[in-house]
Amino acid sequence: MTTSVPASRIPEAVHRRRWAILGVLMLSLLIVVLDNSILNVAIKTISTPAPTGLGATQSQIEWAINAYTLVFAGLLFTAGLIGDRLGRKKVLLGGIVVFGIGSALAAESGSPGQLIAYRAVMALGAAFVMPATLAVLMNVFERDEQPKAIGIWAGGVGLGIAIGPITGGALLDHFWWGSVFLINVPIVILALGLMLWLVPDSRDPNPGRLDPVGVVLSVVGLILLVYGIIKGGELADFTDPKVLVTIGAGILVLAAFVVFEKRSDHPSLDVTYFRNKVFSAAMSAIALVFFALMGVTFFGVFYTQSVRGYSPLEAGVLMLPLAAAQMIFAPRARLLVDRFGNKATTTAGLVLIAATLAAFAGFEADTPIWQLEVVFFLMGTGMAHIMTPTSVVIMQALPREKAGSASALSNTFRQVGGALGIAVLGSVLATSYRGGIEDKLGALPSGLRDTAGDSIEATLGIAARLGPRGQALITPAHDAFLHAMHVTALCGAGVALAGAVVTALFLPGRAAAGQPQKEEPELVAAADRES
């Protein structure tokens, strides 16, 4: 049984402008990626007390990131299904409008709480943008061109990572912190015009019903789980009853979600897809690599700015090698897959990611900066050789009509992995930092002592307020942070190695000459049952 769609199914006019359509889709993708990469550079500024920033704590910064990620991940299931049902172009347009409105509101936030709320609004829009871009791509390119198109699409992530930090740094050097969100608005307007002109609509001719119960269970479960992990980091105690109860409740709700989806005749997540080891391994690889990378990105900003003393713009420029590597290698990753197979390419990418994360464990305050640049370039190289092969495996596993669902699954695992990476590795960082700095804060009043132990920015902020008396805190703060970074980096490396084991065991090897990888019959059958 084959799920390939004959060329006649794609109108000639659409086929002729397919590369222009891909460009518009990448612009839409750029909006979502740009926001996250810009925010990474702005973390330090937003943590600075008013009027420069909002005085956000490390926990509030984590929630500004995780509010976006959790809403995004929780709604991707439904967003993909709505796109398949109502039309991908319609939900793409609606999602971009909501994202633009949320960006404008976030720029005017007056408190960390408002910023967190408006980031959630932005995520609501982004949830409808991301799966629709990949779903449209699958419906305007023939199967033999899809790996190349997906590689270029993945390279768009690298472009966003490159533009974001530099744009964010330049804005922060000349304007207030809210400008990093306001910059999204003109991009949204441009994308809307091009989309109305070029992008065709498509939908599933046999869509399933929506699954509100499943959506609620997934969102509630994820929020409880990640909140419990973040709370454990705040308290520096994962055995605290509140932490254990919250994490346990999250796991139970997510287990209920899986049971409900398995029994439902219209699930938002068809768990039968995961009976296939190849499909599950590809999903796991995406989740694990983003778990490791998002956590490292989080502490990398504080390392370059707080410890090394670089400005936001300079920190953005330092990220260029990572972005450049993704842009160079993501569109070409298919060539390695053709020669060596998915297993070797993806496993090697994850091993490379693990090695670069482990390299952070050797970085000190005076490490030559070129070493950081080499590590960033290798990290981007590894990521490019993970994202493209796994995305192709996932997207080609399901029929073209189910492209929204397949894209939603891929992006959900990516975002959930990223959210948990920030929560878990962010908590490891906070716990390790507090443990390293606590005994150096004894001379401070009790109220200041608790605040100063939250993060390196909190310690340095209080040191600045104390004037000459606070100078004694700077070196211990740097030392405590570096130790915490080393511990966190090694944890991230361990996660990446776990992903390498999974892909080495379950992803397919190189296809025999003249024998392309076959689509997975179990997945096709599951998709047919949906229809």
Side-chain angles (χ1 to χ4, degrees):
M1 179 178 181
T2 180
T3 59
S4 297
V5 179
S8 60
R9 291 281 298 276
I10 300 177
E12 180 60 28
V14 172
H15 183 71
R16 283 199 307 268
R17 66 176 190 263
R18 64 194 184 282
W19 297 109
I21 293 169
L22 178 59
V24 177
L25 296 176
M26 287 178 63
L27 181 61
S28 305
L29 175 69
L30 179 66
I31 298 170
V32 177
V33 177
L34 184 71
D35 173 74
N36 278 321
S37 58
I38 282 180
L39 180 61
N40 286 333
V41 174
I43 284 173
K44 180 178 182 295
T45 306
I46 294 172
S47 342
T48 306
T52 303
L54 292 176
T57 65
Q58 180 167 311
S59 174
Q60 289 170 328
I61 288 291
E62 287 180 9
W63 272 108
I65 297 170
N66 283 330
Y68 182 97
T69 307
L70 288 176
V71 172
F72 188 26
L75 293 179
L76 276 169
F77 298 136
T78 298
L81 289 172
I82 290 176
D84 286 345
R85 185 185 187 91
L86 299 181
R88 285 113 190 188
K89 181 176 181 177
K90 294 184 183 68
V91 300
L92 193 52
L93 290 169
I96 288 178
V97 169
V98 172
F99 185 87
I101 292 171
S103 297
L105 292 171
E108 299 299 327
S109 298
S111 67
Q114 287 183 5
L115 178 61
I116 291 169
Y118 294 141
R119 287 275 296 164
V121 174
M122 293 170 67
L124 175 63
F128 288 86
V129 173
M130 182 71 88
T133 60
L134 200 47
V136 171
L137 181 155
M138 298 299 288
N139 279 272
V140 298
F141 284 92
E142 294 300 337
R143 187 174 180 85
D144 60 342
E145 283 189 323
Q146 286 172 1
K148 180 179 180 182
I150 290 175
I152 295 172
W153 180 89
V157 175
L159 182 62
I161 292 174
I163 295 174
I166 295 174
T167 304
L171 289 170
L172 291 171
D173 274 1
H174 296 92
F175 304 100
W176 95 115
W177 65 267
S179 61
V180 301
F181 297 109
L182 201 59
I183 191 65
N184 292 331
V185 176
I187 304 176
V188 163
I189 294 170
L190 176 62
L192 283 172
L194 292 173
M195 206 169 297
L196 288 167
W197 177 33
L198 287 172
V199 175
D201 206 356
S202 61
R203 68 183 71 190
D204 184 351
N206 299 297
R209 287 182 290 152
L210 298 182
D211 178 26
V213 175
V215 170
V216 170
L217 288 174
S218 65
V219 173
V220 171
L222 285 169
I223 289 176
L224 285 171
L225 177 63
V226 177
Y227 178 78
I229 293 169
I230 292 174
K231 196 67 179 174
E234 284 180 353
L235 300 174
D237 181 10
F238 282 89
T239 62
D240 185 278
K242 292 180 182 177
V243 174
L244 292 176
V245 168
T246 308
I247 291 176
I251 293 172
L252 286 175
V253 173
L254 289 174
F257 166 72
V258 172
V259 171
F260 180 83
E261 296 299 283
K262 191 173 182 180
R263 295 180 177 178
S264 173
D265 59 357
H266 57 283
S268 58
L269 172 61
D270 189 339
V271 294
T272 60
Y273 296 157
F274 294 94
R275 291 176 183 169
N276 183 274
K277 293 178 181 178
V278 172
F279 186 80
S280 297
M283 287 292 189
S284 299
I286 284 178
L288 290 172
V289 73
F290 270 81
F291 180 101
L293 283 173
M294 289 300 287
V296 169
T297 301
F298 188 74
F299 69 63
V301 172
F302 290 103
Y303 173 67
T304 55
Q305 294 186 47
S306 300
V307 176
R308 302 300 298 259
Y310 290 102
S311 70
L313 177 57
E314 290 168 335
V317 172
L318 289 176
M319 294 289 288
L320 272 177
L322 189 152
Q326 286 193 67
M327 292 174 63
I328 293 167
F329 294 113
R332 295 171 174 79
R334 72 187 193 285
L335 302 177
L336 282 183
V337 172
D338 291 343
R339 183 166 183 178
F340 300 108
N342 276 306
K343 182 196 294 285
T345 303
T346 307
T347 302
L350 280 160
V351 170
L352 183 56
I353 290 288
T356 57
L357 294 177
F360 272 94
F363 284 177
E364 301 293 343
D366 57 354
T367 298
I369 204 63
W370 67 264
Q371 293 184 19
L372 177 66
E373 298 298 89
V374 170
V375 166
F376 275 149
F377 185 82
L378 293 175
M379 188 176 287
T381 302
M383 190 173 179
H385 290 93
I386 298 164
M387 292 309 302
T388 300
T390 53
S391 294
V392 171
V393 167
I394 292 164
M395 294 305 297
Q396 291 193 342
L398 301 186
R400 194 189 297 258
E401 290 79 8
K402 302 295 178 183
S405 300
S407 178
L409 278 173
S410 172
N411 284 293
T412 296
F413 271 70
R414 182 182 306 168
Q415 294 302 318
V416 170
L420 293 177
I422 290 169
V424 173
L425 297 183
S427 296
V428 170
L429 184 71
T431 303
S432 299
Y433 179 77
R434 183 180 288 275
I437 197 67
E438 238 171 1
D439 61 346
K440 308 294 192 302
L441 304 175
L444 296 177
S446 59
L448 283 181
R449 197 180 312 139
D450 290 340
T451 303
D454 283 344
S455 67
I456 184 172
E457 271 308 301
T459 307
L460 295 178
I462 287 173
R465 282 161 51 191
L466 292 175
R469 290 190 302 126
Q471 290 298 308
L473 290 176
I474 294 177
T475 299
H478 288 172
D479 292 343
F481 178 83
L482 288 169
H483 172 71
M485 183 182 79
H486 297 162
V487 172
T488 307
L490 291 175
C491 290
V495 171
L497 283 178
V501 172
V502 170
T503 56
L505 290 175
F506 299 117
L507 280 188
R510 182 186 176 191
Q515 297 293 322
Q517 298 276 350
K518 294 182 179 180
E519 295 179 25
E520 305 300 334
E522 290 182 31
L523 300 179
V524 174
D528 288 343
R529 286 196 297 275
E530 274 192 355
S531 302

